[in-house]
PDB file of all heavy atoms in Angstrom:
ATOM      1  N   MET A   1      -1.566 -43.233   8.553  1.00 34.00           N
ATOM      2  CA  MET A   1      -2.479 -43.721   9.558  1.00 34.00           C
ATOM      3  C   MET A   1      -3.158 -42.531  10.210  1.00 34.00           C
ATOM      4  O   MET A   1      -2.517 -41.546  10.528  1.00 34.00           O
ATOM      5  CB  MET A   1      -1.690 -44.523  10.595  1.00 34.00           C
ATOM      6  CG  MET A   1      -2.516 -44.988  11.760  1.00 34.00           C
ATOM      7  SD  MET A   1      -1.503 -45.872  12.945  1.00 34.00           S
ATOM      8  CE  MET A   1      -2.339 -47.402  12.907  1.00 34.00           C
ATOM      9  N   TYR A   2      -4.456 -42.589  10.387  1.00 37.00           N
ATOM     10  CA  TYR A   2      -5.157 -41.502  11.053  1.00 37.00           C
ATOM     11  C   TYR A   2      -6.388 -42.014  11.769  1.00 37.00           C
ATOM     12  O   TYR A   2      -6.913 -43.058  11.456  1.00 37.00           O
ATOM     13  CB  TYR A   2      -5.527 -40.393  10.079  1.00 37.00           C
ATOM     14  CG  TYR A   2      -6.388 -40.828   8.926  1.00 37.00           C
ATOM     15  CD1 TYR A   2      -7.770 -40.870   9.047  1.00 37.00           C
ATOM     16  CD2 TYR A   2      -5.827 -41.212   7.719  1.00 37.00           C
ATOM     17  CE1 TYR A   2      -8.568 -41.279   8.000  1.00 37.00           C
ATOM     18  CE2 TYR A   2      -6.619 -41.621   6.669  1.00 37.00           C
ATOM     19  CZ  TYR A   2      -7.981 -41.651   6.811  1.00 37.00           C
ATOM     20  OH  TYR A   2      -8.770 -42.057   5.777  1.00 37.00           O
ATOM     21  N   MET A   3      -6.760 -41.257  12.778  1.00 39.00           N
ATOM     22  CA  MET A   3      -7.999 -41.540  13.488  1.00 39.00           C
ATOM     23  C   MET A   3      -9.064 -40.649  12.871  1.00 39.00           C
ATOM     24  O   MET A   3      -8.774 -39.540  12.461  1.00 39.00           O
ATOM     25  CB  MET A   3      -7.849 -41.198  14.963  1.00 39.00           C
ATOM     26  CG  MET A   3      -6.777 -41.988  15.665  1.00 39.00           C
ATOM     27  SD  MET A   3      -6.639 -41.557  17.403  1.00 39.00           S
ATOM     28  CE  MET A   3      -6.484 -39.795  17.349  1.00 39.00           C
ATOM     29  N   CYS A   4     -10.267 -41.123  12.798  1.00 40.00           N
ATOM     30  CA  CYS A   4     -11.311 -40.349  12.147  1.00 40.00           C
ATOM     31  C   CYS A   4     -12.572 -40.401  12.999  1.00 40.00           C
ATOM     32  O   CYS A   4     -12.952 -41.447  13.482  1.00 40.00           O
ATOM     33  CB  CYS A   4     -11.576 -40.947  10.776  1.00 40.00           C
ATOM     34  SG  CYS A   4     -12.517 -39.921   9.698  1.00 40.00           S
ATOM     35  N   GLN A   5     -13.180 -39.248  13.185  1.00 41.00           N
ATOM     36  CA  GLN A   5     -14.402 -39.166  13.986  1.00 41.00           C
ATOM     37  C   GLN A   5     -15.381 -38.276  13.240  1.00 41.00           C
ATOM     38  O   GLN A   5     -15.015 -37.210  12.766  1.00 41.00           O
ATOM     39  CB  GLN A   5     -14.076 -38.570  15.351  1.00 41.00           C
ATOM     40  CG  GLN A   5     -15.284 -38.346  16.218  1.00 41.00           C
ATOM     41  CD  GLN A   5     -14.915 -37.686  17.535  1.00 41.00           C
ATOM     42  OE1 GLN A   5     -13.810 -37.256  17.745  1.00 41.00           O
ATOM     43  NE2 GLN A   5     -15.881 -37.609  18.417  1.00 41.00           N
ATOM     44  N   THR A   6     -16.609 -38.708  13.102  1.00 39.00           N
ATOM     45  CA  THR A   6     -17.634 -37.894  12.466  1.00 39.00           C
ATOM     46  C   THR A   6     -18.590 -37.388  13.537  1.00 39.00           C
ATOM     47  O   THR A   6     -19.036 -38.148  14.383  1.00 39.00           O
ATOM     48  CB  THR A   6     -18.422 -38.706  11.418  1.00 39.00           C
ATOM     49  OG1 THR A   6     -17.514 -39.195  10.445  1.00 39.00           O
ATOM     50  CG2 THR A   6     -19.474 -37.847  10.744  1.00 39.00           C
ATOM     51  N   ILE A   7     -18.867 -36.097  13.483  1.00 40.00           N
ATOM     52  CA  ILE A   7     -19.783 -35.466  14.424  1.00 40.00           C
ATOM     53  C   ILE A   7     -20.960 -34.931  13.625  1.00 40.00           C
ATOM     54  O   ILE A   7     -20.763 -34.311  12.591  1.00 40.00           O
ATOM     55  CB  ILE A   7     -19.092 -34.297  15.150  1.00 40.00           C
ATOM     56  CG1 ILE A   7     -17.877 -34.802  15.921  1.00 40.00           C
ATOM     57  CG2 ILE A   7     -20.064 -33.577  16.063  1.00 40.00           C
ATOM     58  CD1 ILE A   7     -17.029 -33.700  16.479  1.00 40.00           C
ATOM     59  N   SER A   8     -22.152 -35.166  14.087  1.00 37.00           N
ATOM     60  CA  SER A   8     -23.329 -34.619  13.406  1.00 37.00           C
ATOM     61  C   SER A   8     -24.008 -33.599  14.300  1.00 37.00           C
ATOM     62  O   SER A   8     -24.169 -33.825  15.494  1.00 37.00           O
ATOM     63  CB  SER A   8     -24.320 -35.717  13.054  1.00 37.00           C
ATOM     64  OG  SER A   8     -23.757 -36.579  12.097  1.00 37.00           O
ATOM     65  N   ILE A   9     -24.381 -32.482  13.728  1.00 38.00           N
ATOM     66  CA  ILE A   9     -25.113 -31.451  14.438  1.00 38.00           C
ATOM     67  C   ILE A   9     -26.529 -31.441  13.877  1.00 38.00           C
ATOM     68  O   ILE A   9     -26.715 -31.314  12.681  1.00 38.00           O
ATOM     69  CB  ILE A   9     -24.456 -30.072  14.234  1.00 38.00           C
ATOM     70  CG1 ILE A   9     -23.034 -30.083  14.794  1.00 38.00           C
ATOM     71  CG2 ILE A   9     -25.289 -28.982  14.885  1.00 38.00           C
ATOM     72  CD1 ILE A   9     -22.258 -28.828  14.462  1.00 38.00           C
ATOM     73  N   LEU A  10     -27.494 -31.597  14.751  1.00 34.00           N
ATOM     74  CA  LEU A  10     -28.884 -31.608  14.295  1.00 34.00           C
ATOM     75  C   LEU A  10     -29.533 -30.273  14.625  1.00 34.00           C
ATOM     76  O   LEU A  10     -29.352 -29.724  15.697  1.00 34.00           O
ATOM     77  CB  LEU A  10     -29.650 -32.740  14.973  1.00 34.00           C
ATOM     78  CG  LEU A  10     -29.127 -34.144  14.675  1.00 34.00           C
ATOM     79  CD1 LEU A  10     -29.915 -35.162  15.498  1.00 34.00           C
ATOM     80  CD2 LEU A  10     -29.250 -34.462  13.203  1.00 34.00           C
ATOM     81  N   SER A  11     -30.255 -29.743  13.692  1.00 38.00           N
ATOM     82  CA  SER A  11     -30.980 -28.501  13.902  1.00 38.00           C
ATOM     83  C   SER A  11     -32.269 -28.580  13.098  1.00 38.00           C
ATOM     84  O   SER A  11     -32.579 -29.597  12.506  1.00 38.00           O
ATOM     85  CB  SER A  11     -30.120 -27.310  13.452  1.00 38.00           C
ATOM     86  OG  SER A  11     -29.964 -27.347  12.045  1.00 38.00           O
ATOM     87  N   SER A  12     -32.997 -27.477  13.054  1.00 38.00           N
ATOM     88  CA  SER A  12     -34.220 -27.462  12.255  1.00 38.00           C
ATOM     89  C   SER A  12     -33.888 -27.476  10.765  1.00 38.00           C
ATOM     90  O   SER A  12     -34.714 -27.806   9.944  1.00 38.00           O
ATOM     91  CB  SER A  12     -35.049 -26.225  12.593  1.00 38.00           C
ATOM     92  OG  SER A  12     -34.293 -25.057  12.341  1.00 38.00           O
ATOM     93  N   LYS A  13     -32.652 -27.109  10.436  1.00 41.00           N
ATOM     94  CA  LYS A  13     -32.181 -27.142   9.051  1.00 41.00           C
ATOM     95  C   LYS A  13     -31.623 -28.539   8.759  1.00 41.00           C
ATOM     96  O   LYS A  13     -31.506 -29.368   9.651  1.00 41.00           O
ATOM     97  CB  LYS A  13     -31.090 -26.085   8.846  1.00 41.00           C
ATOM     98  CG  LYS A  13     -31.551 -24.674   9.136  1.00 41.00           C
ATOM     99  CD  LYS A  13     -32.534 -24.201   8.112  1.00 41.00           C
ATOM    100  CE  LYS A  13     -32.965 -22.772   8.395  1.00 41.00           C
ATOM    101  NZ  LYS A  13     -34.031 -22.333   7.574  1.00 41.00           N
ATOM    102  N   PRO A  14     -31.220 -28.809   7.528  1.00 37.00           N
ATOM    103  CA  PRO A  14     -30.622 -30.107   7.230  1.00 37.00           C
ATOM    104  C   PRO A  14     -29.408 -30.375   8.122  1.00 37.00           C
ATOM    105  O   PRO A  14     -28.742 -29.461   8.576  1.00 37.00           O
ATOM    106  CB  PRO A  14     -30.197 -29.962   5.762  1.00 37.00           C
ATOM    107  CG  PRO A  14     -31.087 -28.911   5.218  1.00 37.00           C
ATOM    108  CD  PRO A  14     -31.347 -27.971   6.362  1.00 37.00           C
ATOM    109  N   ARG A  15     -29.140 -31.622   8.364  1.00 39.00           N
ATOM    110  CA  ARG A  15     -28.038 -32.029   9.228  1.00 39.00           C
ATOM    111  C   ARG A  15     -26.700 -31.576   8.652  1.00 39.00           C
ATOM    112  O   ARG A  15     -26.471 -31.654   7.460  1.00 39.00           O
ATOM    113  CB  ARG A  15     -28.036 -33.544   9.378  1.00 39.00           C
ATOM    114  CG  ARG A  15     -27.089 -34.013  10.460  1.00 39.00           C
ATOM    115  CD  ARG A  15     -27.199 -35.473  10.644  1.00 39.00           C
ATOM    116  NE  ARG A  15     -26.403 -36.098   9.602  1.00 39.00           N
ATOM    117  CZ  ARG A  15     -26.265 -37.395   9.464  1.00 39.00           C
ATOM    118  NH1 ARG A  15     -26.886 -38.203  10.256  1.00 39.00           N
ATOM    119  NH2 ARG A  15     -25.522 -37.893   8.512  1.00 39.00           N
ATOM    120  N   ILE A  16     -25.844 -31.106   9.519  1.00 41.00           N
ATOM    121  CA  ILE A  16     -24.493 -30.693   9.128  1.00 41.00           C
ATOM    122  C   ILE A  16     -23.540 -31.753   9.648  1.00 41.00           C
ATOM    123  O   ILE A  16     -23.574 -32.100  10.820  1.00 41.00           O
ATOM    124  CB  ILE A  16     -24.127 -29.333   9.748  1.00 41.00           C
ATOM    125  CG1 ILE A  16     -25.108 -28.261   9.292  1.00 41.00           C
ATOM    126  CG2 ILE A  16     -22.701 -28.946   9.411  1.00 41.00           C
ATOM    127  CD1 ILE A  16     -24.953 -26.944  10.025  1.00 41.00           C
ATOM    128  N   SER A  17     -22.700 -32.292   8.786  1.00 43.00           N
ATOM    129  CA  SER A  17     -21.724 -33.285   9.226  1.00 43.00           C
ATOM    130  C   SER A  17     -20.332 -32.682   9.196  1.00 43.00           C
ATOM    131  O   SER A  17     -19.964 -31.986   8.260  1.00 43.00           O
ATOM    132  CB  SER A  17     -21.758 -34.517   8.316  1.00 43.00           C
ATOM    133  OG  SER A  17     -22.974 -35.191   8.477  1.00 43.00           O
ATOM    134  N   LEU A  18     -19.590 -32.962  10.227  1.00 49.00           N
ATOM    135  CA  LEU A  18     -18.214 -32.500  10.336  1.00 49.00           C
ATOM    136  C   LEU A  18     -17.325 -33.721  10.399  1.00 49.00           C
ATOM    137  O   LEU A  18     -17.656 -34.698  11.041  1.00 49.00           O
ATOM    138  CB  LEU A  18     -18.022 -31.679  11.620  1.00 49.00           C
ATOM    139  CG  LEU A  18     -19.037 -30.584  11.895  1.00 49.00           C
ATOM    140  CD1 LEU A  18     -18.844 -30.051  13.301  1.00 49.00           C
ATOM    141  CD2 LEU A  18     -18.851 -29.483  10.882  1.00 49.00           C
ATOM    142  N   MET A  19     -16.180 -33.655   9.773  1.00 52.00           N
ATOM    143  CA  MET A  19     -15.244 -34.762   9.823  1.00 52.00           C
ATOM    144  C   MET A  19     -13.974 -34.270  10.486  1.00 52.00           C
ATOM    145  O   MET A  19     -13.405 -33.256  10.082  1.00 52.00           O
ATOM    146  CB  MET A  19     -14.923 -35.252   8.407  1.00 52.00           C
ATOM    147  CG  MET A  19     -13.995 -36.444   8.375  1.00 52.00           C
ATOM    148  SD  MET A  19     -14.738 -37.939   9.022  1.00 52.00           S
ATOM    149  CE  MET A  19     -15.891 -38.320   7.741  1.00 52.00           C
ATOM    150  N   LEU A  20     -13.543 -34.937  11.519  1.00 53.00           N
ATOM    151  CA  LEU A  20     -12.297 -34.621  12.190  1.00 53.00           C
ATOM    152  C   LEU A  20     -11.316 -35.750  11.934  1.00 53.00           C
ATOM    153  O   LEU A  20     -11.639 -36.909  12.130  1.00 53.00           O
ATOM    154  CB  LEU A  20     -12.493 -34.481  13.699  1.00 53.00           C
ATOM    155  CG  LEU A  20     -13.474 -33.429  14.167  1.00 53.00           C
ATOM    156  CD1 LEU A  20     -13.586 -33.485  15.689  1.00 53.00           C
ATOM    157  CD2 LEU A  20     -13.018 -32.063  13.731  1.00 53.00           C
ATOM    158  N   MET A  21     -10.130 -35.406  11.495  1.00 57.00           N
ATOM    159  CA  MET A  21      -9.108 -36.409  11.260  1.00 57.00           C
ATOM    160  C   MET A  21      -7.841 -35.997  11.981  1.00 57.00           C
ATOM    161  O   MET A  21      -7.494 -34.824  12.006  1.00 57.00           O
ATOM    162  CB  MET A  21      -8.821 -36.545   9.765  1.00 57.00           C
ATOM    163  CG  MET A  21     -10.013 -37.026   8.968  1.00 57.00           C
ATOM    164  SD  MET A  21      -9.672 -37.129   7.224  1.00 57.00           S
ATOM    165  CE  MET A  21      -9.737 -35.411   6.782  1.00 57.00           C
ATOM    166  N   ALA A  22      -7.166 -36.943  12.559  1.00 55.00           N
ATOM    167  CA  ALA A  22      -5.902 -36.670  13.224  1.00 55.00           C
ATOM    168  C   ALA A  22      -4.834 -37.565  12.608  1.00 55.00           C
ATOM    169  O   ALA A  22      -4.513 -38.626  13.122  1.00 55.00           O
ATOM    170  CB  ALA A  22      -6.016 -36.918  14.725  1.00 55.00           C
ATOM    171  N   PRO A  23      -4.281 -37.157  11.448  1.00 54.00           N
ATOM    172  CA  PRO A  23      -3.233 -37.970  10.841  1.00 54.00           C
ATOM    173  C   PRO A  23      -2.001 -37.977  11.732  1.00 54.00           C
ATOM    174  O   PRO A  23      -1.629 -36.959  12.280  1.00 54.00           O
ATOM    175  CB  PRO A  23      -2.930 -37.275   9.514  1.00 54.00           C
ATOM    176  CG  PRO A  23      -3.923 -36.197   9.372  1.00 54.00           C
ATOM    177  CD  PRO A  23      -4.583 -35.986  10.683  1.00 54.00           C
ATOM    178  N   SER A  24      -1.393 -39.124  11.883  1.00 53.00           N
ATOM    179  CA  SER A  24      -0.158 -39.234  12.646  1.00 53.00           C
ATOM    180  C   SER A  24       1.018 -39.127  11.695  1.00 53.00           C
ATOM    181  O   SER A  24       1.026 -39.742  10.631  1.00 53.00           O
ATOM    182  CB  SER A  24      -0.096 -40.578  13.372  1.00 53.00           C
ATOM    183  OG  SER A  24      -1.170 -40.689  14.278  1.00 53.00           O
ATOM    184  N   VAL A  25       1.994 -38.332  12.067  1.00 53.00           N
ATOM    185  CA  VAL A  25       3.205 -38.190  11.268  1.00 53.00           C
ATOM    186  C   VAL A  25       4.281 -39.037  11.946  1.00 53.00           C
ATOM    187  O   VAL A  25       4.580 -38.855  13.121  1.00 53.00           O
ATOM    188  CB  VAL A  25       3.637 -36.711  11.185  1.00 53.00           C
ATOM    189  CG1 VAL A  25       4.892 -36.575  10.363  1.00 53.00           C
ATOM    190  CG2 VAL A  25       2.510 -35.874  10.593  1.00 53.00           C
ATOM    191  N   PHE A  26       4.859 -39.991  11.203  1.00 50.00           N
ATOM    192  CA  PHE A  26       5.792 -40.944  11.777  1.00 50.00           C
ATOM    193  C   PHE A  26       7.230 -40.640  11.382  1.00 50.00           C
ATOM    194  O   PHE A  26       7.511 -40.204  10.272  1.00 50.00           O
ATOM    195  CB  PHE A  26       5.466 -42.365  11.291  1.00 50.00           C
ATOM    196  CG  PHE A  26       4.169 -42.876  11.819  1.00 50.00           C
ATOM    197  CD1 PHE A  26       2.987 -42.661  11.140  1.00 50.00           C
ATOM    198  CD2 PHE A  26       4.130 -43.559  13.018  1.00 50.00           C
ATOM    199  CE1 PHE A  26       1.785 -43.125  11.638  1.00 50.00           C
ATOM    200  CE2 PHE A  26       2.933 -44.038  13.522  1.00 50.00           C
ATOM    201  CZ  PHE A  26       1.756 -43.825  12.831  1.00 50.00           C
ATOM    202  N   VAL A  27       8.139 -40.903  12.305  1.00 49.00           N
ATOM    203  CA  VAL A  27       9.575 -40.930  12.024  1.00 49.00           C
ATOM    204  C   VAL A  27      10.069 -42.261  12.557  1.00 49.00           C
ATOM    205  O   VAL A  27       9.957 -42.524  13.753  1.00 49.00           O
ATOM    206  CB  VAL A  27      10.323 -39.773  12.706  1.00 49.00           C
ATOM    207  CG1 VAL A  27      11.814 -39.959  12.575  1.00 49.00           C
ATOM    208  CG2 VAL A  27       9.896 -38.446  12.119  1.00 49.00           C
ATOM    209  N   GLY A  28      10.554 -43.109  11.676  1.00 51.00           N
ATOM    210  CA  GLY A  28      10.958 -44.447  12.110  1.00 51.00           C
ATOM    211  C   GLY A  28       9.741 -45.176  12.636  1.00 51.00           C
ATOM    212  O   GLY A  28       8.753 -45.325  11.948  1.00 51.00           O
ATOM    213  N   THR A  29       9.800 -45.586  13.899  1.00 51.00           N
ATOM    214  CA  THR A  29       8.679 -46.327  14.476  1.00 51.00           C
ATOM    215  C   THR A  29       7.868 -45.499  15.461  1.00 51.00           C
ATOM    216  O   THR A  29       6.893 -45.979  16.017  1.00 51.00           O
ATOM    217  CB  THR A  29       9.195 -47.584  15.207  1.00 51.00           C
ATOM    218  OG1 THR A  29      10.119 -47.161  16.210  1.00 51.00           O
ATOM    219  CG2 THR A  29       9.854 -48.537  14.238  1.00 51.00           C
ATOM    220  N   GLY A  30       8.259 -44.229  15.687  1.00 56.00           N
ATOM    221  CA  GLY A  30       7.557 -43.428  16.678  1.00 56.00           C
ATOM    222  C   GLY A  30       6.708 -42.332  16.068  1.00 56.00           C
ATOM    223  O   GLY A  30       7.057 -41.748  15.053  1.00 56.00           O
ATOM    224  N   VAL A  31       5.587 -42.049  16.691  1.00 57.00           N
ATOM    225  CA  VAL A  31       4.736 -40.942  16.275  1.00 57.00           C
ATOM    226  C   VAL A  31       5.357 -39.659  16.816  1.00 57.00           C
ATOM    227  O   VAL A  31       5.649 -39.555  17.996  1.00 57.00           O
ATOM    228  CB  VAL A  31       3.303 -41.094  16.829  1.00 57.00           C
ATOM    229  CG1 VAL A  31       2.454 -39.886  16.478  1.00 57.00           C
ATOM    230  CG2 VAL A  31       2.661 -42.367  16.300  1.00 57.00           C
ATOM    231  N   ILE A  32       5.575 -38.669  15.952  1.00 62.00           N
ATOM    232  CA  ILE A  32       6.159 -37.427  16.439  1.00 62.00           C
ATOM    233  C   ILE A  32       5.115 -36.346  16.694  1.00 62.00           C
ATOM    234  O   ILE A  32       5.346 -35.440  17.468  1.00 62.00           O
ATOM    235  CB  ILE A  32       7.255 -36.886  15.505  1.00 62.00           C
ATOM    236  CG1 ILE A  32       6.693 -36.603  14.110  1.00 62.00           C
ATOM    237  CG2 ILE A  32       8.429 -37.805  15.454  1.00 62.00           C
ATOM    238  CD1 ILE A  32       7.611 -35.772  13.247  1.00 62.00           C
ATOM    239  N   MET A  33       3.985 -36.421  16.033  1.00 70.00           N
ATOM    240  CA  MET A  33       2.936 -35.433  16.278  1.00 70.00           C
ATOM    241  C   MET A  33       1.632 -35.882  15.639  1.00 70.00           C
ATOM    242  O   MET A  33       1.634 -36.732  14.765  1.00 70.00           O
ATOM    243  CB  MET A  33       3.330 -34.060  15.740  1.00 70.00           C
ATOM    244  CG  MET A  33       3.358 -33.957  14.226  1.00 70.00           C
ATOM    245  SD  MET A  33       3.836 -32.341  13.603  1.00 70.00           S
ATOM    246  CE  MET A  33       2.567 -31.302  14.244  1.00 70.00           C
ATOM    247  N   GLN A  34       0.549 -35.313  16.107  1.00 80.00           N
ATOM    248  CA  GLN A  34      -0.738 -35.504  15.464  1.00 80.00           C
ATOM    249  C   GLN A  34      -1.250 -34.153  15.027  1.00 80.00           C
ATOM    250  O   GLN A  34      -1.029 -33.146  15.703  1.00 80.00           O
ATOM    251  CB  GLN A  34      -1.742 -36.161  16.405  1.00 80.00           C
ATOM    252  CG  GLN A  34      -1.455 -37.626  16.611  1.00 80.00           C
ATOM    253  CD  GLN A  34      -2.608 -38.339  17.275  1.00 80.00           C
ATOM    254  OE1 GLN A  34      -3.293 -37.782  18.114  1.00 80.00           O
ATOM    255  NE2 GLN A  34      -2.818 -39.580  16.892  1.00 80.00           N
ATOM    256  N   VAL A  35      -1.917 -34.144  13.892  1.00 85.00           N
ATOM    257  CA  VAL A  35      -2.454 -32.924  13.311  1.00 85.00           C
ATOM    258  C   VAL A  35      -3.969 -33.086  13.220  1.00 85.00           C
ATOM    259  O   VAL A  35      -4.445 -34.066  12.662  1.00 85.00           O
ATOM    260  CB  VAL A  35      -1.865 -32.669  11.904  1.00 85.00           C
ATOM    261  CG1 VAL A  35      -2.453 -31.426  11.295  1.00 85.00           C
ATOM    262  CG2 VAL A  35      -0.352 -32.591  11.960  1.00 85.00           C
ATOM    263  N   ILE A  36      -4.703 -32.139  13.775  1.00 88.00           N
ATOM    264  CA  ILE A  36      -6.164 -32.196  13.698  1.00 88.00           C
ATOM    265  C   ILE A  36      -6.603 -31.448  12.441  1.00 88.00           C
ATOM    266  O   ILE A  36      -6.315 -30.257  12.284  1.00 88.00           O
ATOM    267  CB  ILE A  36      -6.814 -31.584  14.942  1.00 88.00           C
ATOM    268  CG1 ILE A  36      -6.444 -32.392  16.183  1.00 88.00           C
ATOM    269  CG2 ILE A  36      -8.341 -31.542  14.774  1.00 88.00           C
ATOM    270  CD1 ILE A  36      -6.920 -31.778  17.481  1.00 88.00           C
ATOM    271  N   VAL A  37      -7.276 -32.170  11.559  1.00 90.00           N
ATOM    272  CA  VAL A  37      -7.809 -31.603  10.324  1.00 90.00           C
ATOM    273  C   VAL A  37      -9.330 -31.687  10.420  1.00 90.00           C
ATOM    274  O   VAL A  37      -9.884 -32.756  10.655  1.00 90.00           O
ATOM    275  CB  VAL A  37      -7.317 -32.379   9.079  1.00 90.00           C
ATOM    276  CG1 VAL A  37      -7.894 -31.779   7.810  1.00 90.00           C
ATOM    277  CG2 VAL A  37      -5.790 -32.412   9.031  1.00 90.00           C
ATOM    278  N   ALA A  38     -10.001 -30.551  10.262  1.00 92.00           N
ATOM    279  CA  ALA A  38     -11.465 -30.520  10.317  1.00 92.00           C
ATOM    280  C   ALA A  38     -11.994 -30.002   8.989  1.00 92.00           C
ATOM    281  O   ALA A  38     -11.385 -29.126   8.373  1.00 92.00           O
ATOM    282  CB  ALA A  38     -11.937 -29.618  11.449  1.00 92.00           C
TER     283      ALA A  38
END
Side-chain angles (χ1 to χ4, degrees):
M1 175 182 240
Y2 58 86
M3 299 180 308
C4 194
Q5 176 183 9
T6 301
I7 300 171
S8 294
I9 298 172
L10 298 176
S11 68
S12 59
K13 300 291 181 188
R15 191 175 81 180
I16 300 171
S17 293
L18 311 170
M19 182 68 71
L20 301 177
M21 297 178 284
S24 299
V25 180
F26 292 89
V27 171
T29 58
V31 176
I32 60 166
M33 70 180 298
Q34 286 193 325
V35 178
I36 297 174
V37 180

